[in-house]
């Protein structure tokens, strides 16, 4: 189950490399990751099933953390939170955003609102799990986790500042890079945690 943490991060990296190839004209630097699963996107049929596998791997990893926590209450809570984070991640399937052109034309629906809600809820569980995991280990991992959370917040704010331009179909030259960095530091954190637990 703990190996699923490593597998989840490797899968997501593979998704970021190979799925955009299904979307002619997609630019990883200037478009959001969510646009790969947007309604009408040619990459959606591939992204969605892989995304479900990713969230299930994270959920299994969270359950594995819980099982390996023994008397460490903080680590057990971190496992619970990651498990929930993985399970609610399946909700992304039912909350896709629309493509930029549709949003700019006023074609957004409740699905787009739910997409934003899913993002906020997912981030809450993700960072809470990170906080409890950090508290369960020593100073080095705690410091590493704090740096990771600060990075997540910084690049999350930068991504959020680009949201109005995405909705208006205006150029967003850095939004994809912000998201890749934000996601990358989390994926790396999962790998580091998995390695520590496996050791």
């Amino acid at each position: 189950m703990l190996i699923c943490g490593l597998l989840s991060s490797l899968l997501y990296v593979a998704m970021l490399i190979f799925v955009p190839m299904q979307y002619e004209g997609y630019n990883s630097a200037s478009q959001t990751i969510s646009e790969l699963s947007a309604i009408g996107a040619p990459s959606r049929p591939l992204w969605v099933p892989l995304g479900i596998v990713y969230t299930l791997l994270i959920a299994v990893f969270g359950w594995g953390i819980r099982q390996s926590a023994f008397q460490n209450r903080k680590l057990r809570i971190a496992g619970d939170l990651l498990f929930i984070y993985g399970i609610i991640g399946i909700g992304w399937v039912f909350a896709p955003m629309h493509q930029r052109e549709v949003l700019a034309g006023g074609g957004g629906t409740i699905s787009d609102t739910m997409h934003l809600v899913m993002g906020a809820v997912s981030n809450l569980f993700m960072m809470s799990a990170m906080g409890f995991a950090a508290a369960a280990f020593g100073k080095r991992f705690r410091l590493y986790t704090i740096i990771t959370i600060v990075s997540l917040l910084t690049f999350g704010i930068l991504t959020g500042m680009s949201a109005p331009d995405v909705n208006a179909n205006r150029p967003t030259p850095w939004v994809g890079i912000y998201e890749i960095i934000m996601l990358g530091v989390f994926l790396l954190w999962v790998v580091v945690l998995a390695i520590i637990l496996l050791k």
Side-chain angles (χ1 to χ4, degrees), residues 35-88:
E35 290 178 74
L36 291 169
S37 62
I39 296 168
S43 50
R44 181 173 170 76
L46 180 58
W47 184 274
V48 168
L50 291 176
I52 291 171
V53 173
Y54 165 77
T55 59
L56 292 176
L57 285 171
I58 282 286
V60 172
F61 177 54
W63 193 257
I65 293 171
R66 190 183 199 294
Q67 296 302 305
S68 65
F70 302 110
Q71 301 302 315
N72 191 327
R73 184 171 174 270
K74 292 172 185 172
L75 187 59
R76 192 165 58 249
I77 292 171
D80 289 339
L81 291 169
L82 273 177
F83 174 77
I84 295 167
Y85 166 74
I87 294 300
I88 64 173

Side-chain angles (χ1 to χ4, degrees), residues 53-175:
V53 173
Y54 165 77
T55 59
L56 292 176
L57 285 171
I58 282 286
V60 172
F61 177 54
W63 193 257
I65 293 171
R66 190 183 199 294
Q67 296 302 305
S68 65
F70 302 110
Q71 301 302 315
N72 191 327
R73 184 171 174 270
K74 292 172 185 172
L75 187 59
R76 192 165 58 249
I77 292 171
D80 289 339
L81 291 169
L82 273 177
F83 174 77
I84 295 167
Y85 166 74
I87 294 300
I88 64 173
I90 296 171
W92 285 108
V93 175
F94 308 104
M97 66 178 283
H98 283 83
Q99 292 179 299
R100 290 182 182 217
E101 301 80 15
V102 175
L103 294 173
T109 65
I110 187 69
S111 177
D112 298 282
T113 304
M114 290 307 298
H115 190 80
L116 297 174
V117 171
M118 279 292 300
V121 171
S122 293
N123 285 333
L124 177 65
F125 277 98
M126 177 199 311
M127 287 196 256
S128 298
M130 292 172 77
F132 276 101
F137 292 106
K139 289 182 181 178
R140 287 174 58 190
F141 185 71
R142 201 170 300 148
L143 178 61
Y144 169 63
T145 301
I146 290 169
I147 292 169
T148 301
I149 290 173
V150 169
S151 300
L152 283 168
L153 291 171
T154 301
F155 287 100
I157 289 168
L158 290 171
T159 301
M161 290 169 62
S162 300
D165 291 327
V166 171
N167 290 339
N169 198 19
R170 292 190 293 261
T172 51
W174 297 99
V175 71

